[in-house]
Amino acid sequence: MASESSPLLAYRLLGEEGTALPLNGAGAPGGASARKLSTFLGVVVPTVLSMFSIVVFLRIGFVVGHAGLLQALAMLLVAYFILALTVLSVCAIATNGAVQGGGAYFMISRTLGPEVGGSIGLMFYLANVCGCAVSLLGLVESVLDVFGADATGPSGLRVLPQGYGWNLLYGSLLLGLVGGVCTLGAGLYARASFLTFLLVSGSLASVLISFVAVGPRDIPLTPRPGPNGSSLPPRFGHFTGFNSSTLKDNLAAGYAEDYTTGAMMNFASVFAVLFNGCTGIMAGANMSGELKDPSRAIPLGTIVAVAYTFFVYVLLFFLSSFTCDRTLLQEDYGFFRAISLWPPLVLIGIYATALSASMSSLIGASRILHALARDDLFGVILAPAKVVSRGGNPWAAVLYSWGLVQLVLLAGKLNTLAAVVTVFYLVAYAAVDLSCLSLEWASAPNFRPTFSLFSWHTCLLGVASCLLMMFLISPGAAGGSLLLMGLLAALLTARGGPSSWGYVSQALLFHQVRKYLLRLDVRKDHVKFWRPQLLLLVGNPRGALPLLRLANQLKKGGLYVLGHVTLGDLDSLPSDPVQPQYGAWLSLVDRAQVKAFVDLTLSPSVRQGAQHLLRISGLGGMKPNTLVLGFYDDAPPQDHFLTDPAFSEPADSTREGSSPALSTLFPPPRAPGSPRALSPQDYVATVADALKMNKNVVLARASGALPPERLSRGSGGTSQLHHVDVWPLNLLRPRGGPGYVDVCGLFLLQMATILGMVPAWHSARLRIFLCLGPREAPGAAEGRLRALLSQLRIRAEVQEVVWGEGAGAGEPEVEEEGDFVNSGRGDVEAEALARSANALVRAQQGRGTGGGPGGPEGGDTEGPTTALTFLYLPRPPADPARYPRYLALLETLTRDLGPTLLVHGVTPVTCTDL
């Protein structure tokens, strides 16, 4: 187990009903006592009422009259196919773990992360708020069609005054009734919904019986105005009873003008109306915080509700096509009242469905809002919605939502907003499908839902179908909703959110990275595609920040690993001291803005730890090929945390990895004169070990003196020009070597060229220096090197310098690389050679560009300064006893040179082929 504080330990083994319950009621606002609703009352009833809404009474004739029975059935099948795909995804996610309050928002946010989940959750909340307002205004219009003073129907009672103010008053009164029921809790809402369900079921039953019991009759239609405002003669629709001729006439489509809007209907417009009435499948999932067993109730109740409503819609389509002529269907969308045995019962059904839809939207919106507020994604804006009653009812979220619905009611007519609401619902459905698809593709072992009737094919088809429907219903609203989702996600990303939920994106990345790492075959490596893969060993990052950023610039898209060795023996420790340090090192990587992995190890010595990291860091074809070390000298370490802007500014203490963790795990730099974790002997031995393991080595000295603009992430634009100097030969063996094109010299050129590709170093000029002996003719070596640089596509200035110029001549000549400290001339002469080479390099650093050996004439012309020097790193001597002397020579060679990289390459890295 990764940790003994596993989330599973927060759960009791069995709850009161024998189901797994968390100790805190699975996130319910008031604990386990708030979970009271059964599958039928909590899921089936609200889902059925939401999917019926007012469409089942007022739009059956519209759909069948314009599209005909065959196309109407096709539309219904397509609509329910799209909804069924989302239902399968909901069932899979709901049966994969404990579902807390928030329904679809909870499922999406805990899968896709707080950024996507929070943005879609807020949009889903707004959709429910606007959906409540749309249902209330639809109810007001339905009431006024019968009882309004301006009612135009043949049976209008004309008792209620009409107008914008009166309509707003009626809507506000109805909203007060709905809000009162929802404020008093889910129990009262469930009882009210059940009563509404009985009324709607009774009304539908009377309609179904009326199709059989009522004989043929003529039904007067609403009169239409004539061409010049004159009235046309009365018109009638015909209820024929069951008649095969009527069915035959109603089979094909007959699109005509909508008598309520005057717009010409087509397949897309009729399908959009039908689909708008079916988008209530999340009504039960929104009540997840009040369900006794949401993991069982949500899938079972939703499937039952979808199957039931589909059966009722199909039955009504067939009965209408058998008994009503096309004129009646197209000219009187409320014909159920005209054919009913008792018309008031149909009115009761219409009002009950509209009222229940508004209640479902309001209580669903309040639960989503409470979940958003509890997760603290939007800060103080939603903070009031966290308040709950003693019984766990989020009454503050209900009042919050009630106020927003009241504001929406002020807009009056919401025909345009109805399409936006449906699009927002579809965005949430697509996100649920995407969540399930991501979990399935990630192949995470813990994704094992008990509901198995789904696959990645159904999830992918569900996402595509929802997106298609969005643009079919309203292209403008679809584009706007996606833009709004992107803006909200960007806002949440900038604000930061909880990271303890788990991101399916991490699981998907792991799955894909593993797949491609297996395809990365080291046997197919080619020098053309070589890139540096660095392992930077760091003792205390407080003193190594500039080197950490410089190594990040040298990697050129390759692997970059920060390695650290903790001294100790696991046998003598109660637990591994390395694991708790990873968080601080990862925070260091984030704050320093470098693209690096972190690898820590425990070892009795730094040398053994470095061997471990060199062997086991990386994976497959991505393993370090270059070891980077800071230089071993007596310079007092600096605390760059105090001066670096990324570390000196106060961090947000509420986020993980903030400055307290860094300051705790990264102690102050070592005091001058205090014991060091690495001896000079082990330091040189570590370099020798890396070369034996066929790793390139880079030793960095005085990297803290690098110009700050060269370590930035910008373009490096500055008024100060700099040089990057490269000495591609062994200055401790200046003559008698293999020339200027050996493997190590080419490696120096390659690393300097890579650094010049970084934007911060674009303006720096690359200079390459060749050393000539006193008797060597100038020009020959320079010509050969220029030809080589042309082949390698490296742009640089080449300068020849005479060995010994600027320092004493006649220095000893070393015959064999690595044995200079063992030569008969002794250590004194080797030290003199190092001092001479140091003086030569320093003399060239203070000179500008120019032709001829020794730089420009006069040598005193001021020009760009040298920002970084690349020097050839000799191999350590074969005798370990000579290691301290070797390190002393390197110190003399690089003394007062400023930022310097000592480089030794052992692998070919350049290629002249295409």
Side-chain angles (χ1 to χ4, degrees), residues 862-900:
E862 292 188 5
T865 60
T866 297
L868 184 62
T869 302
F870 284 81
L871 296 182
Y872 191 117
L873 174 67
R875 275 184 175 271
D879 183 6
R882 311 298 296 179
Y883 284 175
R885 189 58 191 160
Y886 168 82
L887 184 57
L889 289 174
L890 294 183
E891 196 282 330
T892 301
L893 175 64
T894 58
R895 186 179 301 158
D896 299 327
L897 293 185
T900 304

Side-chain angles (χ1 to χ4, degrees), residues 102-456:
Y105 158 70
F106 181 84
M107 299 178 189
I108 297 169
S109 62
R110 267 48 174 191
T111 303
L112 300 182
E115 294 82 6
V116 177
S119 60
I120 294 178
L122 185 60
M123 293 173 62
F124 196 37
Y125 168 73
L126 295 176
N128 277 275
V129 167
C130 296
C132 177
V134 169
S135 298
L136 289 174
L137 286 175
L139 176 57
V140 169
E141 291 181 3
S142 298
V143 171
L144 294 178
D145 282 344
V146 178
F147 300 100
D150 300 330
T152 58
S155 58
L157 300 181
R158 301 178 178 86
V159 294
L160 294 177
Q162 290 185 245
Y164 172 78
W166 288 105
N167 292 0
L168 179 60
L169 175 62
Y170 302 146
S172 300
L173 292 175
L174 292 172
L175 176 60
L177 173 64
V178 170
V181 171
C182 295
T183 303
L184 294 177
L188 180 59
Y189 162 76
R191 290 190 288 271
S193 295
F194 181 64
L195 176 61
T196 306
F197 179 77
L198 293 179
L199 292 175
V200 173
S201 299
S203 179
L204 284 175
S206 73
V207 170
L208 296 176
I209 294 173
S210 298
F211 275 113
V212 179
V214 173
R217 63 177 62 176
D218 295 333
I219 300 172
L221 303 176
T222 301
R224 289 191 181 187
N228 299 319
S230 60
S231 59
L232 296 176
R235 296 179 305 121
F236 296 89
H238 304 286
F239 178 79
T240 63
F242 286 93
N243 189 305
S244 58
S245 298
T246 303
L247 175 63
K248 184 177 180 181
D249 292 338
N250 287 330
L251 286 178
Y255 295 107
E257 285 187 359
D258 179 7
Y259 75 92
T260 62
T261 64
M264 185 65 187
M265 294 294 99
N266 53 41
F267 184 91
S269 58
V270 174
F271 184 55
V273 171
L274 174 64
F275 195 82
N276 283 340
C278 303
T279 53
I281 58 174
M282 291 294 184
N286 290 340
M287 301 299 297
S288 58
E290 281 80 12
L291 298 174
K292 292 180 181 177
D293 184 6
S295 294
R296 178 180 180 273
I298 290 175
L300 177 60
T302 305
I303 291 175
V304 169
V306 170
Y308 173 71
T309 55
F310 178 76
F311 172 76
V312 172
Y313 273 123
V314 170
L315 187 59
L316 289 174
F317 281 1
F318 269 107
L319 292 176
S320 300
S321 301
F322 262 108
T323 59
C324 303
D325 69 352
R326 183 66 60 98
T327 302
L328 177 61
L329 294 175
Q330 289 185 346
E331 298 290 339
D332 186 1
Y333 299 152
F335 71 94
F336 282 179
R337 284 178 55 211
I339 67 171
S340 176
L341 291 172
W342 190 46
L345 192 55
V346 176
L347 282 179
I348 293 174
I350 294 173
Y351 301 157
T353 53
L355 200 62
S356 66
S358 61
M359 279 196 302
S360 175
S361 297
L362 183 61
I363 199 167
S366 67
R367 270 45 183 181
I368 296 170
L369 179 66
H370 179 67
L372 284 166
R374 195 174 60 235
D375 290 337
D376 199 27
L377 295 183
F378 293 92
V380 297
I381 299 177
L382 302 184
K386 296 180 182 179
V387 181
V388 297
S389 66
R390 184 174 301 177
N393 178 39
W395 60 270
V398 176
L399 294 180
Y400 204 108
S401 304
W402 174 86
L404 286 181
V405 174
Q406 185 65 61
L407 290 177
V408 177
L409 286 177
L410 294 174
K413 301 286 185 178
L414 293 179
N415 292 335
T416 303
L417 194 57
V420 177
V421 171
T422 303
V423 168
F424 277 15
Y425 279 133
L426 286 172
V427 170
Y429 298 166
V432 172
D433 288 320
L434 181 61
S435 300
C436 190
L437 175 66
S438 302
L439 291 169
E440 181 70 7
W441 272 353
S443 301
N446 281 325
F447 182 61
R448 43 181 186 270
T450 56
F451 182 87
S452 58
L453 298 179
F454 76 100
S455 70
W456 69 266

Side-chain angles (χ1 to χ4, degrees), residues 509-526:
L509 287 173
F510 178 89
H511 186 268
Q512 293 301 108
V513 167
R514 180 194 63 85
K515 180 171 70 175
Y516 287 112
L517 271 176
L518 290 172
R519 296 184 182 181
L520 191 60
D521 192 345
V522 295
R523 296 168 296 183
K524 298 179 181 178
D525 282 347
H526 193 279

Side-chain angles (χ1 to χ4, degrees), residues 180 256 404 482 903:
L404 286 181
L482 296 178
V903 182

